[in-house]
Amino acid sequence: MRALFPVVIKAASTLKIDQDLVKELQAAIPSLPLLPERNPDQSALLKEGDSHDHSIIANSYTPDALKT
């Protein structure tokens, strides 16, 4: 949703339609969880803010998967 909502907002704004939907999506974006990320060669999740160009989307939201 973090990737989809901005695209929908831009399309609706460009076409000048669905302004109510645009407002709802803009309000919802801050409450969406960040995608879990990990390094390609490790299974542990990255801490928030440790993302880099080679990070990939992980397949776990399990807190136990996060190593410190």
Side-chain angles (χ1 to χ4, degrees):
M1 295 299 130
R2 281 192 169 269
L4 178 64
F5 285 8
V7 175
V8 172
I9 290 168
K10 185 173 182 173
S13 297
T14 300
L15 297 172
K16 298 180 181 163
I17 59 172
D18 295 324
Q19 292 308 307
D20 290 337
L21 176 62
V22 167
K23 289 177 187 174
E24 288 181 42
L25 295 177
Q26 288 171 329
I29 289 173
S31 65
L32 295 173
L34 296 174
L35 294 172
E37 294 180 296
R38 67 178 181 87
N39 288 322
D41 57 342
Q42 297 176 346
S43 60
L45 296 178
L46 295 173
K47 291 181 184 178
E48 188 174 328
D50 286 348
S51 182
H52 53 76
D53 290 343
H54 300 291
S55 299
I56 61 172
I57 297 172
N59 58 356
S60 177
Y61 275 104
T62 306
D64 294 339
L66 182 64
K67 286 189 177 177
T68 57

